Amino acid sequence: MDVCRRGRPAVVAGADRLEVPVRWVHAIELTDVARLLRGGELVLSTGIALPDDERLLAAYVAELAEVGVAGLAVELGRRYAGSLPATLVAEAGRANLPLIAFQREVAFIEITEAVHARIIDAQLEELRVSERLHEMFTELSVAGASAEEVVRQAAALAGRPVILADLSHRVLACEPAGTDPGRLLSGFAARSRSVRGPGRTVFDEASGWLVTPVGAHGEDWGRVILVCDGAPSNTDTVLIERAATTLALGRLLTRHRESLERQAHRTLISGIISQAHADPAEAAVRSRALGVPVDGRQLIAIVLRLRDLPVSGPGGPLGMPAHARVLDLADAAAAACRSERIPSLVGTLDDDRAGAMLSLGPRVEPDDMLTRLATRIRDRAGVNPDVLVIGVGATARSIRDVRRSFLEASQVADVAASRLDSATPLFYRLPDLHLRGLVHLLRDDPRLQTFVERELGALLAADPGSGLIDVLAAYLAAGGNKAEAAKASHLARPTFYERLRRIERICATDLGSAESRTSLHVALLALNASRPA
């Protein structure tokens, strides 16, 4: 700066620290000046108050260094003629404190005014930029901009790449801003996992990434990354944090909108199943009002649920509450229907199941559409595909018959969820369940319950621990092959054969008879169908 150049400044110590930012300039003639400073100041002095004692002079420099001043500039001529004291220079060198000697008289007021004007101008520019960023991201929020659009605008404002990733370090959106996308995202997950640090917004020097979390209500769901080409500025931090806030708000609004839609759909589906509408035409009107046509359409009910798995705590097999899992299934089904452009009602049925009424055109092939839809649902559900069960009801030609389709789909899903198939199909229909499906439909019939007691009652009474029941089930599953059944039961053959003979005595039956085995197999299916999952 010209006002400094006129004083012919000479750096006499700490020359390697001249890049330290100056937060403020302070002219002061006191020896205990450190107590009045906050760090980052350039201290101006004529030296008239500095002590002659070398120890006190060294202590003065040490205090300035300890408080973190940016530097000390002393004007020659008032106290020191020609040069600064050797002790002052040596202590400044040891403390790595920039020490400048003005060899000509300089007006300190001109320096402070010039520097402060520059600092205030920079702060005002930061405020202006911050205001522009606020306006830009507010407009994006109000317009309901997608995550991709928010990331694109953030990259355009920064002039550098911006990446949005989830907590599994998968890239959700990326705007390379002219850089090579392949190089930008190469090994992304590993690099992302290595970026950690204290606080919310973190700059990682190794990768050059400025990272801030995205989320609301204390639950983060992602991270926004600004790829910097050097240390980030305050504007960079404001930009990335505003982008994160906009993304979080956008997700909240989307989830709220989806929640209201799911509530409306669930209410109508519940009314259809419970026959709450006295006139089916009322349900048809409500469905059309929700954008789902029903006249002259193929109406198909589907029910989604998760297989019955051992529960490990209140969150169950997926580590989250049952109702939250079902809500996620409903959201996945709704998103899949939108992707396939299928008009549909989608909502939760209870804490175990989500359901949807699909409205297909009269010429649409249901199986083709269901195959594509089920594939999309499995991709979006975020669970192991083998865990998700999709039951499909019979096609209804009017909304009056949709209730039957829902009941059938629910029964199919319940039966399929209790099975452990070697290969899980995309969806199940009633014919896919064969005898097991029929037994499940009749499980509450007193005649079937009487049959179970007649066939298995004595065995259940004689063996409350169900060990013999398991042996019988293994034998029947093996089609009467004793050796194969013993191997599957992890029992020695003599032991297994002895237990089969005991079962024959208790049940007063002949396991060598195909009819007896069939009767016992049906009774076992009915017994399992009547038991809680």
Side-chain angles (χ1 to χ4, degrees):
M1 299 175 68
D2 289 341
V3 291
C4 292
R5 291 179 184 276
R6 288 197 292 269
R8 289 181 57 192
V11 179
V12 295
D16 59 341
R17 293 263 297 161
L18 295 182
E19 297 301 321
V20 174
V22 174
R23 184 183 61 81
W24 205 244
V25 178
H26 200 52
I28 190 167
E29 303 291 356
L30 294 174
T31 54
D32 58 346
V33 64
R35 64 186 176 84
L36 302 176
L37 303 175
R38 297 292 181 268
E41 298 94 346
L42 172 62
V43 176
L44 304 179
S45 173
T46 61
I48 59 175
L50 295 183
D52 294 325
D53 190 299
E54 292 184 352
R55 290 176 301 174
L56 295 178
L57 198 58
Y60 171 74
V61 174
E63 288 181 6
L64 290 180
E66 184 177 354
V67 81
V69 299
L72 170 65
V74 181
E75 180 188 89
L76 300 178
R78 298 291 180 92
R79 173 69 187 279
Y80 305 117
S83 63
L84 296 176
T87 301
L88 184 65
V89 175
E91 289 299 323
R94 273 194 288 272
N96 206 18
L97 174 70
L99 177 62
I100 297 98
F102 284 117
Q103 301 174 72
R104 288 182 179 176
E105 185 179 62
V106 60
F108 287 169
I109 185 63
E110 292 182 0
I111 295 178
T112 57
E113 285 182 346
V115 174
H116 292 171
R118 180 175 291 188
I119 292 173
I120 291 172
D121 286 346
Q123 291 175 341
L124 286 175
E125 181 58 26
E126 284 188 2
L127 288 175
R128 294 188 190 100
V129 171
S130 178
E131 181 65 21
R132 287 198 297 272
L133 293 176
H134 175 77
E135 292 175 356
M136 171 66 75
F137 285 112
T138 298
E139 290 177 5
L140 291 172
S141 296
V142 172
S146 65
E148 292 80 4
E149 179 62 21
V150 174
V151 168
R152 189 179 304 113
Q153 290 294 337
L157 291 168
R160 281 164 288 169
V162 175
I163 303 169
L164 171 65
D166 63 15
L167 297 184
S168 295
H169 307 282
R170 295 174 296 192
V171 175
L172 303 178
C174 173
E175 179 53 50
T179 63
D180 178 14
R183 184 177 179 182
L184 179 65
L185 300 179
S186 176
F188 175 82
R191 287 188 290 154
S192 180
R193 286 190 175 92
S194 68
V195 178
R196 299 180 180 276
R200 297 286 288 173
T201 302
V202 175
F203 176 65
D204 181 67
E205 292 186 8
S207 62
W209 287 2
L210 181 64
V211 182
T212 194
V214 184
H217 303 307
E219 296 182 2
D220 296 336
W221 55 264
R223 304 201 301 175
V224 181
I225 300 167
L226 175 64
V227 181
C228 302
D229 50 10
S233 65
N234 290 337
T235 299
D236 292 329
T237 301
V238 172
L239 184 149
I240 206 69
E241 290 180 348
R242 282 294 301 163
T245 301
T246 303
L247 288 164
L249 180 59
R251 176 152 169 158
L252 283 175
L253 292 175
T254 299
R255 290 183 69 89
H256 181 63
R257 185 165 57 248
E258 284 293 298
S259 177
L260 292 176
E261 183 180 359
R262 295 286 74 74
Q263 290 175 30
H265 285 203
R266 182 192 65 207
T267 301
L268 182 51
I269 290 173
S270 298
I272 292 172
I273 295 175
S274 64
Q275 295 181 321
H277 308 293
D279 183 358
E282 180 183 349
V285 170
R286 290 176 178 269
S287 180
R288 286 192 294 269
L290 287 171
V292 182
V294 295
D295 297 326
R297 309 280 289 184
Q298 299 181 80
L299 306 178
I300 301 176
I302 66 171
V303 170
L304 296 79
R305 63 165 298 169
L306 302 175
R307 288 192 184 279
D308 299 320
L309 298 175
V311 176
S312 55
L318 299 183
M320 58 193 301
H323 71 275
R325 298 200 306 268
V326 175
L327 285 173
D328 285 345
L329 287 180
D331 287 341
C337 288
R338 283 196 299 270
S339 297
E340 290 294 333
R341 297 185 178 181
I342 303 174
S344 58
L345 300 174
V346 184
T348 58
L349 303 180
D350 51 37
D351 281 349
D352 295 317
R353 294 168 293 184
M357 183 194 80
L358 311 179
S359 175
L360 307 182
R363 295 185 178 84
V364 173
E365 175 53 48
D367 281 2
D368 292 344
M369 182 60 75
L370 286 167
T371 297
R372 295 198 302 272
L373 180 65
T375 301
R376 284 190 180 272
I377 292 175
R378 290 178 182 280
D379 290 342
R380 292 175 177 272
V383 298
N384 187 324
D386 294 336
V387 173
L388 178 60
V389 171
I390 301 175
V392 178
T395 301
R397 297 294 175 178
S398 71
I399 201 164
R400 184 190 301 274
D401 299 323
V402 171
R403 177 178 184 271
R404 174 175 54 81
S405 184
F406 264 116
L407 294 178
E408 183 176 305
S410 295
Q411 292 164 351
V412 168
D414 290 345
V415 175
S418 65
R419 296 174 55 173
L420 293 177
D421 298 329
S422 57
T424 302
L426 287 173
F427 57 87
Y428 292 86
R429 278 200 169 99
L430 190 57
D432 300 326
L433 303 178
H434 307 294
L435 179 60
R436 189 186 298 267
L438 174 63
V439 170
H440 183 82
L441 292 177
L442 301 175
R443 68 188 184 280
D444 294 326
D445 191 305
R447 291 169 294 183
L448 183 61
Q449 295 170 355
T450 301
F451 171 75
V452 172
E453 285 301 313
R454 185 171 64 245
E455 293 291 321
L456 299 174
L459 188 60
L460 290 170
D463 182 40
S466 298
L468 293 179
I469 287 288
D470 293 339
V471 168
L472 177 61
Y475 175 68
L476 296 174
N481 187 320
K482 296 180 182 179
E484 183 181 333
K487 183 179 180 180
S489 299
H490 304 290
L491 293 173
R493 290 187 186 183
T495 302
F496 190 82
Y497 296 165
E498 170 55 33
R499 293 185 182 181
L500 286 181
R501 288 192 290 271
R502 186 181 174 196
I503 291 171
E504 287 182 318
R505 290 195 302 271
I506 293 173
C507 295
T509 189
D510 177 13
L511 293 179
S513 166
E515 185 175 350
S516 294
R517 291 198 302 271
T518 301
S519 183
L520 288 169
H521 183 59
V522 172
L524 275 175
L525 290 178
L527 177 67
N528 290 331
S530 64
R531 286 174 168 174

